[in-house]
Amino acid sequence: MNKLTDIIKDPQRIVLQNAIPPSHLTDGLQLKYGQADILVYPKTTAEVVEVVKFANANNLNITTRGAGTNLVGSTIPNGGIILDLSLMTNIVELDKQTFTVTVQPGILLQDLQQFVEQHDLFYPPDPGAKTATVGGNISTNAGGMRAVKYGVTRDYVQALEVVMADGSVLTIGSKNVKDNTGLALKHLFIGSEGTLGIITQCTLKLIAKPKVSQTFIVGFNTIEQAIANITTVLHTLTPTALEFVERKVAQWGEQYSGFQFPLPNSQAYLIIMLDGADLQTIEQQRQQLLANLGDCDFFVAEDSKQTNQIWTIRGSLVRAVEAVTQQDPIDIVVPINRIADFINFTKQLEVQTKVRMLAFGHAGDGNIHLCILRDDRDDHQWQSDLQLVHQALYQKCLELGGLPSAEHGIGTAKVSYYNDAIPATNRQLMRAIKQQFDPKNLLNNQVYTTII
Amino acid sequence: MNKLTDIIKDPQRIVLQNAIPPSHLTDGLQLKYGQADILVYPKTTAEVVEVVKFANANNLNITTRGAGTNLVGSTIPNGGIILDLSLMTNIVELDKQTFTVTVQPGILLQDLQQFVEQHDLFYPPDPGAKTATVGGNISTNAGGMRAVKYGVTRDYVQALEVVMADGSVLTIGSKNVKDNTGLALKHLFIGSEGTLGIITQCTLKLIAKPKVSQTFIVGFNTIEQAIANITTVLHTLTPTALEFVERKVAQWGEQYSGFQFPLPNSQAYLIIMLDGADLQTIEQQRQQLLANLGDCDFFVAEDSKQTNQIWTIRGSLVRAVEAVTQQDPIDIVVPINRIADFINFTKQLEVQTKVRMLAFGHAGDGNIHLCILRDDRDDHQWQSDLQLVHQALYQKCLELGGLPSAEHGIGTAKVSYYNDAIPATNRQLMRAIKQQFDPKNLLNNQVYTTII
């Protein structure tokens, strides 16, 4: 290991086996732990290159991580080197003229968003974990609530610098908006969960910051009514966010946050955010929507306090559950007209298995986040019930034309459901690509095991 | 060849060597011609599969084509089979609930657009060649004028059915809006110019049809002023289209179309289209833009007649040139703040080489279309001058951080400029992918020669 200390000379940035903190041997759930020989914190691309060359020469696995918010096991190492990019937080360039920002991958999403908004610009992707790194967001093609209007992380990656498994450095993409010059290598790296290369720099597309936004809630008697009106919403306007939540789910957030969710007599809600150049336009769109929706309850957040309370309740649902019991997070996606079918299925499954489930999510894009509650089950019962529930949920998801991951990735946790969802011919091509990009199978080889 | 007649039994749909019309041995420019052994017109995926298996067994090249509007040589065959998909025009399914349409690849863009608009839906990509096929659009990731607001073809491809070089059929993607389930194979096929597989079906994302649109023109004294204001436009509003054209270029369109372009005293224009839910909102945005732009000339199209005249002039520029002389089309892209630099360079080059050039294009995304005019040069002089001009233009494009193809592709015509623009490591990875997907190198192997 002498050579690594030549590369990373600052002793604070190299941690040996026994001294590696448990937080670096797990993922965001902190339920499963791996092991590793060494943890390094590079600060530059040049340092990453040298570490990777060292790993390659010594056939050591590399598990790359950012803030460790991953929920599917991708940051649980299986020996070798943990490459922690959380010190690579530089903002390399803000180019206002081309609407781009170039950053190192360890910058936190919330820091990036804050920085560009100070310059009247806007980075639209907004996944729930604001303390995730941008590199992590790219590696899982993270989406979030604003995807219904603005798209996902993939849509905002203009260029990448990637260190390949042999230590060579790839520059892909540019500040050009349109590009049909060669195969879309950039898109292969986006969402590849660290299996194809290590992102060391990224250039992201920005847009002008929306001047105003408004949040309102439409209340319905049933979740079916709420879901049935998604198409009407999408035909009438382009929401920034379009979330669904049931009354009984909102109550978890109320209890946790101490705030009251509006329209307490409704059983299901669509939470809608609009943004734009002026409030008048937003008002017009909202009134048009009201006319098109017909009979329903309606609440408009009048000020930033009310707006914040609504989004705090919505944003606190997972933490509200975790304050009460351990939970298993699900991130499935179904075609938008199948959301109600899936929610109803979870209710039947709840009755059948007695496992409590809370469903909520991004109605505008069919991305359903489900918390499966452990409650007072012992380890054996929990694993057994969880397996039962998983199998039923992912099976139903496939029946409805859905997929096992919308934005969390496959990692180690979803490999079998990924195998069920993706045809063997497709997986064979993915394996072939992995083989070409990382012939020694060193990069994040604990995840995505079937494509390796 | 007997076996092929067992696959395609309709004699109208098999054409042998000498009977192949010249139109099928060339591209949209009709300047270079190749040769082929047989031309087939499959109607189903099953027929494509059998033809490909036949070709694979007999080591025959396959050149896939749609409407033949390609401008970079991709449809010029080099022996073997021409696979013409222009009879595969079925609309398989319109799914209004998930905002998707599933079609065979041979449907023309204009027919697809018209069909979905009848159902109050909208397919945003709008490349100039309305008679191109959707399959061709996907293969070149075609963009067009509305890309500045809505993105390019890539952004609207939800799922693909692809026949691989060995005859296996791949289904990639789904009706799900979000997807992080495995590597992004779909994005590899998009823009791959037929080199990785044959698209036999595609599911495309639609949006609600905008209710109204308005076109207006801002006139400036110089092209620099026009370009300098692009950032102001993009900070103030989200234009559906944002085109630039100089007075002297617009005059070509005036002469060809017989219409008068507005603001004849200005020397350069930004043509802006806005769309949305209502005219009032558009008016507000336009007035805000006027306030932000300061001193400039302004013309608003008051009715559909004026609107059509403006877009007819803009849309007729290439034909206006071709009515006078042969021309060579350029499709470079530069970062949006470098458009004026590039235009100015073309003017210097015009003076220096005496080769006339007409520049216009998509100001919102830096995509500059340039017509290089042959005028009365003989073959030798034309080739010699063209090479000189090409080398200077593509060199300048690279200096400005641009790329040799925004939306036309590389084909055979731009391979050397592609080699200059894309690092050798990237091209090596593309070659490795091609090798994995098409090991015998049968599919469109006349194009992209360096990745094969």
Side-chain angles (χ1 to χ4, degrees):
Chain A
M1 295 291 174
N2 276 337
K3 279 173 96 179
L4 260 189
T5 50
D6 291 342
I7 299 165
I8 309 283
K9 288 177 179 155
D10 177 358
Q12 301 286 323
R13 298 198 279 122
I14 292 202
V15 184
L16 286 179
Q17 199 164 5
N18 293 333
I20 297 175
S23 62
H24 277 68
L25 300 173
T26 187
D27 63 3
L29 293 177
Q30 304 191 347
L31 294 174
K32 291 181 181 165
Y33 289 80
Q35 44 85 29
D37 300 314
I38 199 155
L39 161 63
V40 294
Y41 293 87
K43 283 188 166 181
T44 63
T45 302
E47 286 183 351
V48 173
V49 166
E50 293 307 314
V51 171
V52 170
K53 283 183 176 170
F54 175 84
N56 193 307
N58 293 280
N59 294 311
L60 291 170
N61 296 339
I62 298 176
T63 301
T64 306
R65 62 182 285 137
T69 58
N70 187 277
L71 296 171
V72 292
S74 300
T75 53
I76 304 175
N78 67 341
I81 296 173
I82 302 172
L83 194 68
D84 184 317
L85 303 185
S86 63
L87 299 184
M88 294 181 69
T89 58
N90 286 351
I91 294 168
V92 179
E93 183 198 24
L94 176 69
D95 184 343
K96 292 184 181 183
Q97 287 190 307
T98 61
F99 290 76
T100 59
V101 65
T102 300
V103 295
Q104 285 189 308
I107 189 170
L108 300 187
L109 174 65
Q110 62 192 12
D111 295 340
L112 173 75
Q113 287 178 335
Q114 198 181 351
F115 171 77
V116 301
E117 287 177 35
Q118 283 165 0
H119 294 272
D120 217 23
L121 291 163
F122 192 62
Y123 178 68
D126 194 33
K130 312 303 176 202
T131 59
T133 64
V134 168
N137 283 182
I138 295 171
S139 295
T140 58
N141 187 22
M145 288 200 306
R146 297 197 294 231
V148 57
K149 176 169 182 177
Y150 291 113
V152 294
T153 301
R154 180 182 300 286
D155 302 309
Y156 292 86
V157 178
Q158 287 266 141
L160 293 175
E161 178 189 76
V162 181
V163 176
M164 300 297 287
D166 62 0
S168 61
V169 181
L170 218 62
T171 303
I172 319 170
S174 64
K175 291 182 180 172
N176 296 292
V177 179
K178 283 181 180 168
D179 174 2
N180 199 35
T181 304
L183 299 183
L185 292 180
K186 183 180 79 178
H187 286 285
L188 268 187
F189 287 98
I190 300 167
S192 66
E193 304 186 38
T195 58
L196 300 184
I198 297 157
I199 297 167
T200 48
Q201 188 169 294
C202 40
T203 298
L204 303 166
K205 177 179 154 184
L206 305 171
I207 63 171
K209 187 177 166 186
K211 301 281 183 295
V212 291
S213 78
Q214 189 179 70
T215 294
F216 52 94
I217 295 174
V218 194
F220 300 90
N221 290 329
T222 64
I223 185 72
E224 287 83 358
Q225 281 179 8
I227 302 300
N229 278 293
I230 291 173
T231 311
T232 306
V233 175
L234 294 176
H235 266 290
T236 309
L237 45 78
T238 305
T240 312
L242 172 54
E243 300 286 299
F244 73 90
V245 65
E246 287 183 272
R247 173 85 208 127
K248 67 162 197 170
V249 175
Q251 282 170 334
W252 282 78
E254 285 180 334
Q255 282 164 23
Y256 183 78
S257 67
F259 299 136
Q260 172 74 43
F261 199 79
L263 307 177
N265 295 325
S266 296
Q267 295 308 308
Y269 310 99
L270 293 178
I271 316 176
I272 300 173
M273 184 192 285
L274 292 180
D275 64 18
D278 59 273
L279 264 183
Q280 199 183 345
T281 307
I282 289 177
E283 293 281 352
Q284 283 165 6
Q285 292 178 348
R286 183 164 55 76
Q287 276 158 26
Q288 183 63 52
L289 178 64
L290 258 181
N292 291 355
L293 283 176
D295 188 35
C296 60
D297 290 322
F298 214 79
F299 175 86
V300 181
E302 295 291 349
D303 53 31
S304 62
K305 189 180 161 194
Q306 288 184 343
T307 303
N308 289 340
Q309 287 187 1
I310 291 167
W311 290 111
T312 298
I313 293 172
R314 166 63 187 84
S316 71
L317 294 177
V318 173
R319 287 194 304 280
V321 168
E322 288 176 343
V324 172
T325 176
Q326 189 183 317
Q327 63 98 16
D328 185 78
I330 304 286
D331 164 49
I332 70 114
V333 58
V334 293
I336 54 172
N337 60 336
R338 295 309 186 97
I339 297 174
D341 292 340
F342 189 81
I343 301 295
N344 284 334
F345 179 77
T346 67
K347 290 181 182 173
Q348 294 165 22
L349 197 61
E350 255 186 332
V351 173
Q352 189 186 321
T353 61
K354 302 194 172 49
V355 177
R356 293 199 294 169
M357 289 171 234
L358 254 62
F360 48 90
H362 313 311
D365 46 38
N367 183 188
I368 299 165
H369 291 302
L370 204 68
C371 292
I372 304 175
L373 276 57
R374 175 166 176 168
D375 290 323
D376 56 2
R377 286 171 179 78
D378 63 22
D379 278 355
H380 176 76
Q381 193 62 43
W382 173 228
Q383 290 308 324
S384 158
D385 282 352
L386 198 55
Q387 195 181 1
L388 196 75
V389 168
H390 274 177
Q391 282 179 349
L393 287 175
Y394 287 111
Q395 177 60 36
K396 187 67 186 180
C397 161
L398 283 192
E399 278 174 36
L400 297 173
L403 289 169
S405 173
E407 54 188 15
H408 291 179
I410 300 302
T412 56
K414 297 187 189 171
V415 173
S416 69
Y417 308 112
Y418 158 79
N419 288 341
D420 293 341
I422 304 296
T425 44
N426 300 37
R427 284 183 282 126
Q428 170 55 33
L429 287 175
M430 295 184 201
R431 272 195 295 273
I433 291 168
K434 167 71 174 176
Q435 169 69 23
Q436 295 296 316
F437 282 47
D438 176 17
K440 285 186 168 183
N441 189 20
L442 299 177
L443 303 180
N444 275 26
N445 65 7
Q446 78 283 19
V447 308
Y448 249 120
T449 48
T450 53
I451 71 159
I452 289 168
Chain B
M1 294 290 172
N2 277 336
K3 279 174 96 181
L4 262 188
T5 51
D6 289 342
I7 299 165
I8 309 283
K9 288 178 178 154
D10 177 357
Q12 301 286 323
R13 297 198 281 122
I14 293 201
V15 184
L16 285 179
Q17 200 163 5
N18 293 333
I20 297 174
S23 61
H24 277 68
L25 301 172
T26 188
D27 64 4
L29 293 177
Q30 304 191 349
L31 294 173
K32 291 180 181 167
Y33 289 81
Q35 44 84 28
D37 300 314
I38 198 156
L39 160 64
V40 293
Y41 293 87
K43 282 188 166 180
T44 65
T45 301
E47 286 183 350
V48 173
V49 167
E50 292 308 314
V51 171
V52 170
K53 283 182 175 170
F54 175 84
N56 192 308
N58 294 280
N59 295 312
L60 292 171
N61 295 339
I62 298 176
T63 300
T64 305
R65 62 182 287 137
T69 58
N70 187 279
L71 295 172
V72 291
S74 300
T75 52
I76 304 175
N78 67 340
I81 296 173
I82 302 171
L83 194 67
D84 184 316
L85 303 185
S86 63
L87 298 184
M88 294 182 69
T89 58
N90 285 351
I91 294 168
V92 179
E93 184 198 24
L94 176 68
D95 184 343
K96 292 183 180 183
Q97 288 191 305
T98 62
F99 289 78
T100 58
V101 65
T102 300
V103 296
Q104 286 189 308
I107 189 170
L108 300 187
L109 174 65
Q110 63 191 13
D111 295 340
L112 172 74
Q113 288 178 334
Q114 197 181 353
F115 171 76
V116 301
E117 287 177 36
Q118 283 165 1
H119 294 271
D120 216 23
L121 291 163
F122 192 62
Y123 178 69
D126 194 33
K130 313 303 176 202
T131 58
T133 64
V134 168
N137 283 183
I138 296 171
S139 295
T140 57
N141 187 24
M145 288 202 304
R146 297 197 293 230
V148 59
K149 177 169 183 176
Y150 291 113
V152 295
T153 301
R154 180 182 301 286
D155 303 308
Y156 292 87
V157 178
Q158 288 266 142
L160 293 175
E161 179 188 77
V162 181
V163 175
M164 300 297 288
D166 62 1
S168 60
V169 181
L170 218 62
T171 303
I172 319 170
S174 63
K175 290 182 181 175
N176 296 291
V177 178
K178 282 182 180 166
D179 173 3
N180 199 35
T181 303
L183 300 182
L185 293 180
K186 183 180 79 178
H187 286 284
L188 269 186
F189 287 99
I190 300 167
S192 67
E193 304 186 38
T195 59
L196 300 183
I198 297 157
I199 297 166
T200 49
Q201 189 168 294
C202 40
T203 298
L204 303 165
K205 178 179 155 185
L206 305 172
I207 63 171
K209 186 177 168 186
K211 302 281 183 298
V212 291
S213 78
Q214 189 180 69
T215 294
F216 53 93
I217 295 173
V218 194
F220 300 90
N221 290 328
T222 65
I223 185 72
E224 287 83 358
Q225 280 179 11
I227 301 300
N229 279 293
I230 290 173
T231 310
T232 306
V233 175
L234 294 176
H235 266 291
T236 309
L237 44 78
T238 305
T240 311
L242 173 55
E243 300 286 299
F244 73 90
V245 65
E246 287 183 271
R247 173 85 208 127
K248 68 164 196 171
V249 175
Q251 283 170 333
W252 283 79
E254 285 181 331
Q255 282 164 23
Y256 183 78
S257 67
F259 299 135
Q260 171 76 41
F261 199 77
L263 306 177
N265 294 325
S266 297
Q267 295 308 307
Y269 310 99
L270 293 178
I271 315 176
I272 299 173
M273 183 193 285
L274 292 180
D275 65 17
D278 59 272
L279 262 184
Q280 199 183 344
T281 306
I282 289 176
E283 293 281 352
Q284 283 164 6
Q285 293 179 348
R286 182 164 56 76
Q287 276 157 27
Q288 183 62 52
L289 179 64
L290 258 181
N292 292 355
L293 284 174
D295 187 36
C296 60
D297 290 323
F298 215 80
F299 175 87
V300 181
E302 296 290 349
D303 53 32
S304 62
K305 188 180 164 197
Q306 288 184 342
T307 303
N308 288 339
Q309 287 188 0
I310 290 167
W311 291 111
T312 299
I313 292 171
R314 165 63 187 86
S316 71
L317 294 176
V318 173
R319 288 194 304 280
V321 169
E322 288 176 342
V324 172
T325 175
Q326 188 183 319
Q327 63 98 16
D328 184 77
I330 304 288
D331 164 49
I332 71 113
V333 58
V334 292
I336 54 172
N337 60 337
R338 297 308 187 99
I339 297 174
D341 293 339
F342 189 82
I343 301 295
N344 284 334
F345 179 79
T346 67
K347 290 180 182 173
Q348 293 164 23
L349 197 62
E350 254 185 337
V351 173
Q352 191 187 320
T353 62
K354 301 193 170 54
V355 177
R356 294 199 294 169
M357 288 171 234
L358 254 60
F360 48 91
H362 313 311
D365 47 38
N367 184 188
I368 300 164
H369 290 302
L370 205 67
C371 292
I372 304 176
L373 276 57
R374 176 167 176 166
D375 290 324
D376 56 2
R377 286 171 180 77
D378 63 24
D379 279 353
H380 176 75
Q381 193 62 42
W382 173 228
Q383 290 308 324
S384 158
D385 283 352
L386 198 55
Q387 195 181 1
L388 195 75
V389 168
H390 273 178
Q391 280 178 350
L393 288 175
Y394 286 111
Q395 178 61 34
K396 187 68 185 178
C397 161
L398 283 192
E399 278 174 35
L400 297 173
L403 290 169
S405 173
E407 55 188 14
H408 291 180
I410 300 302
T412 56
K414 297 188 188 171
V415 173
S416 70
Y417 307 112
Y418 158 79
N419 287 341
D420 293 341
I422 304 296
T425 45
N426 301 37
R427 283 183 280 126
Q428 171 55 32
L429 286 175
M430 296 183 200
R431 272 194 297 271
I433 291 167
K434 167 72 175 177
Q435 168 68 22
Q436 295 296 317
F437 281 46
D438 177 17
K440 286 185 166 182
N441 189 20
L442 299 177
L443 303 180
N444 274 29
N445 66 6
Q446 78 283 17
V447 308
Y448 250 122
T449 47
T450 54
I451 71 159
I452 289 167

